[in-house]
Amino acid sequence: MEASVWTDRMLAALEYGVKGDVWFSLMDKVYHPGNLWSAWAKSAANDGAPGVDGITISRYEKDVEANLVRLAGTLKDGSYRPKAIRRTYIPKSDGKMRPLGIPTVQDRIVQGAVRHAIEPIFEKEFARHSYGFRPGRGCKDALRRVDELLKAGYRYVVDADLKSYFDTIPHDLLMQQVEERIADGRVLGLVRMFLEAKIMEGLDEYTPAAGAPQGAVLSPLLSNIYLNPLDHLMAQQGYEMVRYADDFVILCKTQQEAESVLELVRGWMAEAGLTLHPEKTRIADAQTEPFEFLGYRFDKGRKWPRDKSTQKLREKLKPWLKRTSGVSLQASIAKINPSLRGWYGYFKHADRRGLYDIDRWVRTRLRSILRKRHGGKGKGRGDDHHRWPNKFFADLGLFSLERAHELACRSMKMAH
């Protein structure tokens, strides 16, 4: 919560409620200098590519004080207009491409400032089982909740997949929900302008009929606002739902209950103008068949990194593990270690074998580099394991996921 935006008086009103639960006079909080500086600092920390105007973070920073004063003036007098969003595509783990919308640096700052002003109003009403893009919550909390429910006997899993959620949110229905809590017409106008900002894809430019572009600062909050009624419907009906953005599972104790809740969700989605993916949405019996959630594969009481997660890591490491690599082994290890540590940080609760497979793959690639440098051909194998044992790579500083897992388990045992 931004101290520069939310005064003690506002915080008290948030705690005890305002008349009609509707908030007026928020625009002055948006263009407050402290808020714009805070939004700028977050944009600068995230860095990111330039938008359609080509202005980078470093270029904006050169005259940041004058830029923010000018920006505050346009917000105050109502002349501010967002520029088009540059659309690009990034590869997904399944080989398909994910559309990404990149606003200009200035528009990212304004979206951040709007989010600071309105997020606490909606955050107060979000359901406890919603974990995505929320302060103090994350993937690990959602995964922990799924674990708890499975151990408590919730064996049937409604594994739901929303088809192109961010690109299909109906603007008018979303704005109706925002208007239930926000009555400041100028703030509402900003939100609508961001939703309806033109999309520039190559040389083509068009106005989106629906959606909140992935990559835009305000989109995660808006996406949570739109699914919030579904969250509360599930809670009111007594269903155990765990949601992270548009990725959610509902855990049930019986097949019949799972079938009932899936029909309820289908009906809600139809009314909301959203679509469940027909092939990817299913009911799984967690005791006999696996299901995937937030990068993990849950399989008969065990957790593994799902194949796509493992493949994504390998693709990231491959440029530094080519047999034709001309850099020293120490340099390659220094480049891949941060990725290995980050991956372990997320998947450290996976079954040990899934971690060992990554270690073995990395060492095989490194042995292949050494084999080529010593005149050999093909992958590292056979005597190469004796010539360059695991300890050889450990002495060079290679991070081992399995070793990190062993140390973590040992520390837990000592603590108990």
Side-chain angles (χ1 to χ4, degrees):
M1 192 174 291
E2 298 302 308
S4 58
V5 182
W6 281 79
T7 62
D8 289 344
R9 186 178 173 186
M10 289 176 72
L11 290 171
L14 189 66
E15 181 70 25
Y16 298 110
V18 292
K19 190 175 180 180
D21 286 331
V22 179
W23 289 76
F24 297 82
S25 305
L26 291 169
M27 189 63 192
D28 60 322
K29 314 299 186 294
V30 173
Y31 59 72
H32 186 285
N35 188 20
L36 291 178
W37 273 101
S38 177
W40 152 252
K42 289 179 182 177
S43 294
N46 291 332
D47 201 3
V52 294
D53 59 2
I55 295 175
T56 61
I57 288 287
S58 56
R59 183 175 160 192
Y60 196 91
E61 190 171 21
K62 285 178 182 174
D63 203 11
V64 64
E65 195 162 346
N67 285 335
L68 293 181
V69 168
R70 198 178 306 115
L71 177 57
T74 62
L75 287 166
K76 191 172 183 177
D77 66 22
S79 62
Y80 168 82
R81 294 292 181 275
K83 287 186 166 57
I85 291 171
R86 182 167 69 85
R87 172 150 283 191
T88 186
Y89 291 86
I90 56 171
K92 292 167 66 176
S93 53
D94 58 5
K96 295 178 182 177
M97 303 299 282
R98 183 191 304 279
L100 204 63
I102 304 177
T104 64
V105 171
Q106 180 152 284
D107 291 341
R108 298 204 287 264
I109 294 168
V110 178
Q111 287 196 34
V114 171
R115 184 177 66 79
H116 292 165
I118 70 173
E119 184 176 56
I121 296 166
F122 294 98
E123 178 62 31
K124 183 172 178 278
E125 298 188 352
F126 286 157
R128 61 178 176 79
H129 60 251
S130 164
Y131 296 92
F133 310 120
R134 295 186 60 193
R137 288 167 167 251
C139 291
K140 290 179 182 177
D141 302 302
L143 290 163
R144 193 178 300 116
R145 181 60 182 157
V146 170
D147 259 339
E148 289 170 358
L149 291 166
L150 289 171
K151 286 171 184 170
Y154 290 79
R155 63 182 279 186
Y156 293 94
V157 182
V158 177
D159 185 2
D161 188 281
L162 276 169
K163 199 171 180 180
S164 304
Y165 171 59
F166 280 86
D167 285 336
T168 57
I169 301 172
H171 289 167
D172 287 342
L173 293 178
L174 170 59
M175 287 306 300
Q176 283 176 25
Q177 286 182 231
V178 177
E179 288 163 9
E180 286 178 9
R181 294 290 171 263
I182 309 292
D184 187 318
R186 294 177 67 189
V187 172
L188 292 171
L190 278 178
V191 174
R192 189 172 277 281
M193 276 196 284
F194 285 128
L195 289 173
E196 296 175 353
K198 291 185 182 298
I199 305 287
M200 186 168 282
E201 192 167 345
L203 297 175
D204 296 328
E205 190 176 87
Y206 60 92
T207 302
Q214 281 183 276
V217 180
L218 201 52
S219 292
L221 174 61
L222 296 176
S223 71
N224 273 335
I225 290 171
Y226 198 63
L227 288 179
N228 189 46
L230 174 65
D231 293 340
H232 287 289
L233 174 64
M234 294 295 104
Q236 286 160 10
Q237 298 284 335
Y239 293 119
E240 292 291 353
M241 178 177 178
V242 182
R243 182 173 71 80
Y244 189 96
D246 59 335
D247 199 355
F248 65 89
V249 288
I250 305 164
L251 290 94
C252 307
K253 289 192 171 178
T254 67
Q255 173 90 23
Q256 186 179 2
E257 186 184 13
E259 289 170 358
S260 296
V261 72
L262 181 53
E263 282 310 303
L264 184 62
V265 170
R266 279 203 178 103
W268 188 91
M269 292 294 171
E271 285 186 22
L274 303 173
T275 309
L276 286 176
H277 201 294
E279 285 88 36
K280 295 181 181 178
T281 298
R282 67 193 184 102
I283 295 171
D285 180 349
Q287 291 188 6
T288 60
E289 53 190 323
F291 70 95
E292 295 179 350
F293 185 57
L294 298 180
Y296 273 89
R297 181 180 176 86
F298 291 80
D299 192 357
K300 304 181 190 75
R302 288 182 158 187
K303 290 203 303 290
W304 313 84
R306 68 175 187 162
D307 291 344
K308 288 179 182 177
S309 303
T310 302
Q311 188 58 33
K312 191 175 180 181
L313 175 68
R314 290 185 179 188
E315 292 301 323
K316 189 175 183 180
L317 300 181
K318 274 181 183 177
W320 299 102
L321 297 173
K322 291 179 178 176
R323 276 186 297 146
T324 53
S325 172
V327 301
S328 70
L329 220 59
Q330 289 94 330
S332 292
I333 287 170
K335 286 290 184 183
I336 67 173
N337 270 348
S339 295
L340 290 171
R341 286 195 181 94
W343 201 83
Y344 171 75
Y346 188 78
F347 288 106
K348 62 186 175 185
H349 301 295
D351 189 273
R352 177 180 169 181
R353 198 177 79 202
L355 304 177
Y356 175 68
D357 286 347
I358 291 291
D359 280 342
R360 186 173 56 183
W361 178 82
V362 169
R363 288 192 294 260
T364 297
R365 302 281 298 203
L366 291 171
R367 287 188 182 104
S368 298
I369 294 172
L370 292 168
R371 184 183 179 87
K372 182 171 177 61
R373 288 178 185 175
H374 285 75
K377 292 181 179 180
K379 289 198 299 184
R381 59 186 185 274
D383 289 343
D384 294 340
H385 289 266
H386 303 293
R387 199 174 182 185
W388 300 295
N390 293 355
K391 186 178 182 302
F392 172 82
F393 300 108
D395 290 343
L396 287 176
L398 178 65
F399 180 80
S400 166
L401 285 81
E402 187 180 25
R403 177 66 177 154
H405 188 265
E406 284 174 2
L407 292 172
C409 290
R410 196 179 302 165
S411 297
M412 285 177 67
K413 285 178 183 175
M414 289 175 67
H416 288 88

PDB file of all heavy atoms in Angstrom, residues 258-279:
ATOM      1  N   ALA A 258     -17.486 -32.793  -7.824  1.00  0.00           N
ATOM      2  CA  ALA A 258     -16.622 -32.214  -8.857  1.00  0.00           C
ATOM      3  C   ALA A 258     -17.416 -31.930 -10.133  1.00  0.00           C
ATOM      4  O   ALA A 258     -17.252 -30.871 -10.758  1.00  0.00           O
ATOM      5  CB  ALA A 258     -15.447 -33.149  -9.147  1.00  0.00           C
ATOM      6  N   GLU A 259     -18.277 -32.848 -10.511  1.00  0.00           N
ATOM      7  CA  GLU A 259     -19.090 -32.660 -11.720  1.00  0.00           C
ATOM      8  C   GLU A 259     -20.062 -31.489 -11.541  1.00  0.00           C
ATOM      9  O   GLU A 259     -20.279 -30.703 -12.471  1.00  0.00           O
ATOM     10  CB  GLU A 259     -19.842 -33.949 -12.048  1.00  0.00           C
ATOM     11  CG  GLU A 259     -18.920 -35.049 -12.570  1.00  0.00           C
ATOM     12  CD  GLU A 259     -19.603 -36.407 -12.664  1.00  0.00           C
ATOM     13  OE1 GLU A 259     -20.798 -36.493 -12.282  1.00  0.00           O
ATOM     14  OE2 GLU A 259     -18.942 -37.366 -13.106  1.00  0.00           O
ATOM     15  N   SER A 260     -20.630 -31.377 -10.343  1.00  0.00           N
ATOM     16  CA  SER A 260     -21.574 -30.280 -10.063  1.00  0.00           C
ATOM     17  C   SER A 260     -20.884 -28.925 -10.138  1.00  0.00           C
ATOM     18  O   SER A 260     -21.418 -27.970 -10.728  1.00  0.00           O
ATOM     19  CB  SER A 260     -22.198 -30.451  -8.678  1.00  0.00           C
ATOM     20  OG  SER A 260     -22.968 -31.625  -8.619  1.00  0.00           O
ATOM     21  N   VAL A 261     -19.694 -28.830  -9.537  1.00  0.00           N
ATOM     22  CA  VAL A 261     -19.005 -27.539  -9.514  1.00  0.00           C
ATOM     23  C   VAL A 261     -18.515 -27.162 -10.904  1.00  0.00           C
ATOM     24  O   VAL A 261     -18.526 -25.984 -11.279  1.00  0.00           O
ATOM     25  CB  VAL A 261     -17.851 -27.532  -8.484  1.00  0.00           C
ATOM     26  CG1 VAL A 261     -16.659 -28.366  -8.936  1.00  0.00           C
ATOM     27  CG2 VAL A 261     -17.369 -26.099  -8.246  1.00  0.00           C
ATOM     28  N   LEU A 262     -18.125 -28.142 -11.709  1.00  0.00           N
ATOM     29  CA  LEU A 262     -17.686 -27.841 -13.074  1.00  0.00           C
ATOM     30  C   LEU A 262     -18.836 -27.259 -13.891  1.00  0.00           C
ATOM     31  O   LEU A 262     -18.649 -26.296 -14.653  1.00  0.00           O
ATOM     32  CB  LEU A 262     -17.121 -29.092 -13.746  1.00  0.00           C
ATOM     33  CG  LEU A 262     -16.610 -28.914 -15.182  1.00  0.00           C
ATOM     34  CD1 LEU A 262     -15.608 -27.768 -15.290  1.00  0.00           C
ATOM     35  CD2 LEU A 262     -15.986 -30.213 -15.698  1.00  0.00           C
ATOM     36  N   GLU A 263     -20.043 -27.797 -13.706  1.00  0.00           N
ATOM     37  CA  GLU A 263     -21.209 -27.252 -14.409  1.00  0.00           C
ATOM     38  C   GLU A 263     -21.512 -25.828 -13.939  1.00  0.00           C
ATOM     39  O   GLU A 263     -21.871 -24.952 -14.731  1.00  0.00           O
ATOM     40  CB  GLU A 263     -22.426 -28.146 -14.191  1.00  0.00           C
ATOM     41  CG  GLU A 263     -22.417 -29.409 -15.041  1.00  0.00           C
ATOM     42  CD  GLU A 263     -22.153 -29.132 -16.517  1.00  0.00           C
ATOM     43  OE1 GLU A 263     -22.913 -28.338 -17.126  1.00  0.00           O
ATOM     44  OE2 GLU A 263     -21.158 -29.660 -17.057  1.00  0.00           O
ATOM     45  N   LEU A 264     -21.359 -25.592 -12.639  1.00  0.00           N
ATOM     46  CA  LEU A 264     -21.584 -24.262 -12.080  1.00  0.00           C
ATOM     47  C   LEU A 264     -20.595 -23.256 -12.674  1.00  0.00           C
ATOM     48  O   LEU A 264     -20.968 -22.145 -13.065  1.00  0.00           O
ATOM     49  CB  LEU A 264     -21.436 -24.310 -10.552  1.00  0.00           C
ATOM     50  CG  LEU A 264     -21.725 -23.023  -9.776  1.00  0.00           C
ATOM     51  CD1 LEU A 264     -23.176 -22.579  -9.974  1.00  0.00           C
ATOM     52  CD2 LEU A 264     -21.435 -23.224  -8.294  1.00  0.00           C
ATOM     53  N   VAL A 265     -19.328 -23.665 -12.762  1.00  0.00           N
ATOM     54  CA  VAL A 265     -18.286 -22.790 -13.324  1.00  0.00           C
ATOM     55  C   VAL A 265     -18.553 -22.526 -14.809  1.00  0.00           C
ATOM     56  O   VAL A 265     -18.418 -21.388 -15.276  1.00  0.00           O
ATOM     57  CB  VAL A 265     -16.884 -23.415 -13.124  1.00  0.00           C
ATOM     58  CG1 VAL A 265     -15.826 -22.643 -13.907  1.00  0.00           C
ATOM     59  CG2 VAL A 265     -16.520 -23.437 -11.643  1.00  0.00           C
ATOM     60  N   ARG A 266     -18.952 -23.566 -15.535  1.00  0.00           N
ATOM     61  CA  ARG A 266     -19.255 -23.391 -16.973  1.00  0.00           C
ATOM     62  C   ARG A 266     -20.364 -22.348 -17.167  1.00  0.00           C
ATOM     63  O   ARG A 266     -20.283 -21.496 -18.055  1.00  0.00           O
ATOM     64  CB  ARG A 266     -19.692 -24.727 -17.584  1.00  0.00           C
ATOM     65  CG  ARG A 266     -18.535 -25.628 -17.951  1.00  0.00           C
ATOM     66  CD  ARG A 266     -18.939 -26.633 -19.032  1.00  0.00           C
ATOM     67  NE  ARG A 266     -17.808 -27.463 -19.404  1.00  0.00           N
ATOM     68  CZ  ARG A 266     -17.619 -28.720 -19.008  1.00  0.00           C
ATOM     69  NH1 ARG A 266     -18.512 -29.304 -18.224  1.00  0.00           N
ATOM     70  NH2 ARG A 266     -16.561 -29.394 -19.402  1.00  0.00           N
ATOM     71  N   GLY A 267     -21.408 -22.445 -16.339  1.00  0.00           N
ATOM     72  CA  GLY A 267     -22.510 -21.490 -16.437  1.00  0.00           C
ATOM     73  C   GLY A 267     -22.064 -20.073 -16.133  1.00  0.00           C
ATOM     74  O   GLY A 267     -22.444 -19.121 -16.827  1.00  0.00           O
ATOM     75  N   TRP A 268     -21.229 -19.925 -15.095  1.00  0.00           N
ATOM     76  CA  TRP A 268     -20.734 -18.592 -14.722  1.00  0.00           C
ATOM     77  C   TRP A 268     -19.897 -18.008 -15.851  1.00  0.00           C
ATOM     78  O   TRP A 268     -20.030 -16.829 -16.200  1.00  0.00           O
ATOM     79  CB  TRP A 268     -19.909 -18.677 -13.434  1.00  0.00           C
ATOM     80  CG  TRP A 268     -19.544 -17.317 -12.895  1.00  0.00           C
ATOM     81  CD1 TRP A 268     -20.253 -16.572 -11.998  1.00  0.00           C
ATOM     82  CD2 TRP A 268     -18.401 -16.527 -13.265  1.00  0.00           C
ATOM     83  NE1 TRP A 268     -19.623 -15.374 -11.769  1.00  0.00           N
ATOM     84  CE2 TRP A 268     -18.487 -15.319 -12.536  1.00  0.00           C
ATOM     85  CE3 TRP A 268     -17.332 -16.722 -14.123  1.00  0.00           C
ATOM     86  CZ2 TRP A 268     -17.522 -14.312 -12.645  1.00  0.00           C
ATOM     87  CZ3 TRP A 268     -16.375 -15.707 -14.242  1.00  0.00           C
ATOM     88  CH2 TRP A 268     -16.469 -14.522 -13.511  1.00  0.00           C
ATOM     89  N   MET A 269     -19.027 -18.835 -16.420  1.00  0.00           N
ATOM     90  CA  MET A 269     -18.149 -18.367 -17.499  1.00  0.00           C
ATOM     91  C   MET A 269     -18.962 -17.903 -18.707  1.00  0.00           C
ATOM     92  O   MET A 269     -18.640 -16.882 -19.331  1.00  0.00           O
ATOM     93  CB  MET A 269     -17.186 -19.483 -17.932  1.00  0.00           C
ATOM     94  CG  MET A 269     -16.140 -19.862 -16.896  1.00  0.00           C
ATOM     95  SD  MET A 269     -14.974 -18.530 -16.597  1.00  0.00           S
ATOM     96  CE  MET A 269     -14.085 -19.194 -15.180  1.00  0.00           C
ATOM     97  N   ALA A 270     -20.010 -18.627 -19.044  1.00  0.00           N
ATOM     98  CA  ALA A 270     -20.846 -18.255 -20.190  1.00  0.00           C
ATOM     99  C   ALA A 270     -21.478 -16.884 -19.968  1.00  0.00           C
ATOM    100  O   ALA A 270     -21.499 -16.037 -20.877  1.00  0.00           O
ATOM    101  CB  ALA A 270     -21.927 -19.309 -20.415  1.00  0.00           C
ATOM    102  N   GLU A 271     -21.980 -16.637 -18.748  1.00  0.00           N
ATOM    103  CA  GLU A 271     -22.585 -15.337 -18.426  1.00  0.00           C
ATOM    104  C   GLU A 271     -21.548 -14.221 -18.431  1.00  0.00           C
ATOM    105  O   GLU A 271     -21.857 -13.075 -18.746  1.00  0.00           O
ATOM    106  CB  GLU A 271     -23.267 -15.399 -17.057  1.00  0.00           C
ATOM    107  CG  GLU A 271     -24.586 -16.155 -17.063  1.00  0.00           C
ATOM    108  CD  GLU A 271     -25.290 -16.076 -15.717  1.00  0.00           C
ATOM    109  OE1 GLU A 271     -24.998 -15.135 -14.951  1.00  0.00           O
ATOM    110  OE2 GLU A 271     -26.117 -16.955 -15.434  1.00  0.00           O
ATOM    111  N   ALA A 272     -20.305 -14.568 -18.062  1.00  0.00           N
ATOM    112  CA  ALA A 272     -19.239 -13.563 -17.973  1.00  0.00           C
ATOM    113  C   ALA A 272     -18.544 -13.329 -19.310  1.00  0.00           C
ATOM    114  O   ALA A 272     -17.624 -12.505 -19.397  1.00  0.00           O
ATOM    115  CB  ALA A 272     -18.211 -13.997 -16.929  1.00  0.00           C
ATOM    116  N   GLY A 273     -18.955 -14.051 -20.350  1.00  0.00           N
ATOM    117  CA  GLY A 273     -18.342 -13.863 -21.658  1.00  0.00           C
ATOM    118  C   GLY A 273     -16.966 -14.492 -21.787  1.00  0.00           C
ATOM    119  O   GLY A 273     -16.160 -14.086 -22.630  1.00  0.00           O
ATOM    120  N   LEU A 274     -16.699 -15.504 -20.957  1.00  0.00           N
ATOM    121  CA  LEU A 274     -15.407 -16.192 -20.983  1.00  0.00           C
ATOM    122  C   LEU A 274     -15.604 -17.634 -21.435  1.00  0.00           C
ATOM    123  O   LEU A 274     -16.716 -18.157 -21.434  1.00  0.00           O
ATOM    124  CB  LEU A 274     -14.756 -16.155 -19.594  1.00  0.00           C
ATOM    125  CG  LEU A 274     -14.525 -14.762 -18.997  1.00  0.00           C
ATOM    126  CD1 LEU A 274     -14.043 -14.879 -17.552  1.00  0.00           C
ATOM    127  CD2 LEU A 274     -13.518 -13.965 -19.829  1.00  0.00           C
ATOM    128  N   THR A 275     -14.494 -18.293 -21.794  1.00  0.00           N
ATOM    129  CA  THR A 275     -14.575 -19.654 -22.324  1.00  0.00           C
ATOM    130  C   THR A 275     -13.597 -20.583 -21.622  1.00  0.00           C
ATOM    131  O   THR A 275     -12.415 -20.258 -21.498  1.00  0.00           O
ATOM    132  CB  THR A 275     -14.256 -19.668 -23.839  1.00  0.00           C
ATOM    133  OG1 THR A 275     -15.066 -18.695 -24.498  1.00  0.00           O
ATOM    134  CG2 THR A 275     -14.504 -21.039 -24.439  1.00  0.00           C
ATOM    135  N   LEU A 276     -14.097 -21.726 -21.163  1.00  0.00           N
ATOM    136  CA  LEU A 276     -13.218 -22.771 -20.647  1.00  0.00           C
ATOM    137  C   LEU A 276     -12.675 -23.576 -21.828  1.00  0.00           C
ATOM    138  O   LEU A 276     -13.421 -23.926 -22.746  1.00  0.00           O
ATOM    139  CB  LEU A 276     -13.981 -23.707 -19.705  1.00  0.00           C
ATOM    140  CG  LEU A 276     -14.330 -23.175 -18.314  1.00  0.00           C
ATOM    141  CD1 LEU A 276     -15.169 -24.198 -17.570  1.00  0.00           C
ATOM    142  CD2 LEU A 276     -13.085 -22.845 -17.510  1.00  0.00           C
ATOM    143  N   HIS A 277     -11.388 -23.861 -21.797  1.00  0.00           N
ATOM    144  CA  HIS A 277     -10.782 -24.630 -22.877  1.00  0.00           C
ATOM    145  C   HIS A 277     -11.349 -26.050 -22.860  1.00  0.00           C
ATOM    146  O   HIS A 277     -11.204 -26.776 -21.871  1.00  0.00           O
ATOM    147  CB  HIS A 277      -9.265 -24.675 -22.688  1.00  0.00           C
ATOM    148  CG  HIS A 277      -8.521 -24.982 -23.948  1.00  0.00           C
ATOM    149  ND1 HIS A 277      -8.628 -26.195 -24.584  1.00  0.00           N
ATOM    150  CD2 HIS A 277      -7.674 -24.230 -24.689  1.00  0.00           C
ATOM    151  CE1 HIS A 277      -7.874 -26.171 -25.665  1.00  0.00           C
ATOM    152  NE2 HIS A 277      -7.279 -24.999 -25.760  1.00  0.00           N
ATOM    153  N   PRO A 278     -12.022 -26.482 -23.944  1.00  0.00           N
ATOM    154  CA  PRO A 278     -12.714 -27.790 -23.913  1.00  0.00           C
ATOM    155  C   PRO A 278     -11.776 -28.982 -23.736  1.00  0.00           C
ATOM    156  O   PRO A 278     -12.138 -29.952 -23.077  1.00  0.00           O
ATOM    157  CB  PRO A 278     -13.431 -27.842 -25.267  1.00  0.00           C
ATOM    158  CG  PRO A 278     -12.749 -26.830 -26.130  1.00  0.00           C
ATOM    159  CD  PRO A 278     -12.221 -25.780 -25.219  1.00  0.00           C
ATOM    160  N   GLU A 279     -10.566 -28.912 -24.316  1.00  0.00           N
ATOM    161  CA  GLU A 279      -9.653 -30.057 -24.198  1.00  0.00           C
ATOM    162  C   GLU A 279      -8.866 -30.053 -22.890  1.00  0.00           C
ATOM    163  O   GLU A 279      -8.530 -31.104 -22.346  1.00  0.00           O
ATOM    164  CB  GLU A 279      -8.648 -30.070 -25.365  1.00  0.00           C
ATOM    165  CG  GLU A 279      -9.219 -30.526 -26.696  1.00  0.00           C
ATOM    166  CD  GLU A 279      -9.822 -29.365 -27.482  1.00  0.00           C
ATOM    167  OE1 GLU A 279      -9.270 -28.252 -27.404  1.00  0.00           O
ATOM    168  OE2 GLU A 279     -10.857 -29.577 -28.141  1.00  0.00           O
TER     169      GLU A 279
END
